[in-house]
Amino acid sequence: MTKRALITGITGQDGAYLAEFLFEQGYQVHGMVRRSSSENFERIQHLRDKVQLHQADLLDQLSIVRLVEEVQPHHLYNLAAQSFVPTSFEQPLLTAEFTALGVTRVLEAVRTVDRSIRVYQASSSEMFGTVREEPQTETTPFWPRSPYGVAKVYGHWITVNYRESYDLFACSGILFNHESPLRGKEFVTRKITDAVARIKLGLQQKLRLGNLDALRDWGFAGDYVRAMWMMLNHDVPDDYVIATGEKHSVREFADIAFQHVGLNWEDHVEVDPRYLRPAEVTTLCGDCAKARRVLGWAPEVSFHDLVRMMVEADLTRVKKEIE
Ligand code: NAP
Ligand code: GDD
């Protein structure tokens, strides 16, 4: 029997990688997309004849119930969210509606339609905020530092609660930052690699960034979507930290990215206070020992290879654009 998977947030970075991965595993892949005045399917363009898209919105309970009824998925991956931290300071209520209450709407739909559907919730290392220990594990207490982080803490605990209350097979993946050539250009890694390509090709002079000292545990999105699938295919539902265990600064990321094209980052990067946050997460570093032990998951792409992959992809894309 062909297994059906439903992905909310299929038009995002992770949705695109996960759709491709699940398709390769033999799944029939369905994606939830929200209505917009213009299509936003660039990341899944190459999969358009393979995935089935359905309109629904995290803000609209009935639309999610109808979608789950229609698709009857075996596995549901809830990746949709307002995922950009600075926007969460500007739009905290909308962020809570999408990123926090949206999770309950998805879980309620599953509870109403079919409790045997396995659910993955996209939780985040941003929940650790002001870190209480290093590295962070599944038992490290949360201290979120943004409305986004607070919303994700709600999403995490409501997932655990539905598992405990209704015996749902619901897993929360606490994923540390993961990047790729499909990353949105507002996130710092892609902002840097896009600018490196444009500066190298003479289209831009300067790159304005915020806190260069911030430390993140950056992995490759392609590795991380595999972990989501492993969680839903394990015997018992549980929560897992997914991380590389290495941390690097924004400055170091920029240094490697500029070096890769023969440039010195210090000649191009300027600090702009506009990109500083009201409250910052200064450091994150995860310990994925549980995922290694129980799921057999390990990251495959190194930090240096990730930076190079992203710079190369942006160079190729920008060159094509100016041809
Ligand atoms: P992303 O690129 O920002 O994608 C977010 C997705 O959510 C998009 O498909 C977006 O659709 C959809 N969405 C937003 N609001 C919606 C709504 N009201 N109804 C339906 N869909 C809606 O995010 P990502 O990097 O792929 O991350 C996937 C998930 O993992 C998110 O929940 C994120 O918070 C979480 N996460 C990400 C990371 C990371 O480092 N990438 C780490 C930990 C956790 P549109 O295309 O229509 O905007
Ligand atoms: N976006 C951005 N832009 N960040 C900058 C900049 C800049 O110009 N300059 C410095 N930074 C710093 C931020 O202050 C932050 O400390 C770090 O770079 C990473 O910022 P982002 O790439 O925006 O990611 P994030 O860590 O805030 O959030 C991402 O990772 C979370 C997991 O920990 C997002 O993908 C979240 O959705 C995800 O949950």
Side-chain angles (χ1 to χ4, degrees):
M1 186 189 57
T2 308
K3 281 212 164 184
R4 286 179 300 282
L6 173 60
I7 304 172
T8 76
I10 195 166
T11 54
Q13 170 190 254
D14 291 8
Y17 277 100
L18 181 64
E20 187 152 8
F21 177 80
L22 292 177
F23 182 75
E24 282 163 10
Q25 303 303 313
Y27 284 77
Q28 189 184 96
V29 181
H30 296 257
M32 174 178 123
V33 292
R34 56 178 166 168
R35 199 263 160 191
S36 118
S37 62
S38 55
E39 276 191 359
N40 173 23
F41 300 155
E42 301 88 37
R43 292 186 177 108
I44 51 168
Q45 206 51 49
H46 60 299
L47 299 171
R48 281 304 294 282
D49 55 341
K50 296 175 183 163
V51 299
Q52 296 178 48
L53 301 180
H54 309 260
Q55 247 181 46
D57 199 299
L58 277 183
L59 298 185
D60 189 305
Q61 178 73 71
L62 273 182
S63 72
I64 308 174
V65 171
R66 284 197 205 101
L67 173 59
V68 174
E69 265 170 2
E70 185 190 338
V71 173
Q72 299 278 329
H74 300 93
H75 294 174
L76 192 164
Y77 295 85
N78 183 35
L79 309 186
Q82 191 303 95
S83 74
F84 191 46
V85 170
T87 297
S88 79
F89 287 102
E90 302 298 326
Q91 300 178 5
L93 294 174
L94 191 64
T95 300
E97 284 287 354
F98 284 6
T99 305
L101 285 181
V103 184
T104 310
R105 293 190 189 99
V106 168
L107 291 166
E108 272 297 281
V110 168
R111 184 166 83 97
T112 308
V113 176
D114 177 359
R115 292 186 190 194
S116 74
I117 298 168
R118 295 186 172 197
V119 182
Y120 172 84
Q121 167 55 21
S123 292
S124 165
S125 52
E126 180 75 11
M127 302 190 299
F128 295 119
T130 299
V131 297
R132 311 307 306 276
E133 62 181 356
E134 183 160 311
Q136 295 86 55
T137 71
E138 293 78 8
T139 56
T140 303
F142 301 135
W143 187 333
R145 295 270 287 169
S146 62
Y148 167 81
V150 174
K152 281 288 179 186
V153 171
Y154 174 92
H156 170 79
W157 284 120
I158 200 72
T159 302
V160 173
N161 180 257
Y162 271 55
R163 181 169 74 221
E164 293 175 352
S165 305
Y166 308 117
D167 204 22
L168 289 193
F169 193 110
C171 301
S172 171
I174 306 174
L175 271 51
F176 282 62
N177 299 49
H178 44 280
E179 318 295 313
S180 74
L182 298 186
R183 186 59 141 153
K185 284 188 198 157
E186 68 274 40
F187 299 94
V188 75
T189 55
R190 185 75 199 291
K191 184 174 170 181
I192 293 171
T193 61
D194 177 59
V196 164
R198 294 175 59 79
I199 290 169
K200 180 67 183 173
L201 297 171
L203 300 174
Q204 187 175 324
Q205 301 296 321
K206 293 290 175 196
L207 166 61
R208 290 178 181 81
L209 295 174
N211 179 12
L212 301 181
D213 296 323
L215 296 161
R216 286 292 183 277
D217 178 334
W218 278 298
F220 171 53
D223 285 341
Y224 285 42
V225 299
R226 190 162 30 86
M228 299 174 186
W229 173 77
M230 286 174 148
M231 286 179 218
L232 291 199
N233 283 281
H234 191 57
D235 303 339
V236 283
D238 208 342
D239 310 320
Y240 297 91
V241 159
I242 300 297
T244 71
E246 274 180 37
K247 62 180 174 181
H248 300 272
S249 66
V250 171
R251 180 182 288 101
E252 200 180 339
F253 192 106
D255 184 13
I256 297 169
F258 276 95
Q259 260 188 50
H260 186 64
V261 298
L263 296 174
N264 181 350
W265 72 276
E266 285 169 303
D267 296 337
H268 301 281
V269 172
E270 284 177 359
V271 171
D272 185 334
R274 277 184 308 162
Y275 296 109
L276 300 176
R277 299 173 180 185
E280 171 69 307
V281 174
T282 54
T283 180
L284 287 174
C285 187
D287 175 359
C288 71
K290 180 176 168 185
R292 278 182 195 272
R293 193 180 66 250
V294 181
L295 303 176
W297 179 85
E300 287 174 4
V301 176
S302 73
F303 175 69
H304 280 72
D305 286 348
L306 174 65
V307 181
R308 286 191 281 264
M309 176 204 302
M310 292 177 69
V311 173
E312 284 297 329
D314 275 322
L315 271 175
T316 306
R317 180 187 52 82
V318 177
K319 271 183 197 157
K320 262 199 205 130
E321 279 171 14
I322 57 178
E323 261 168 22

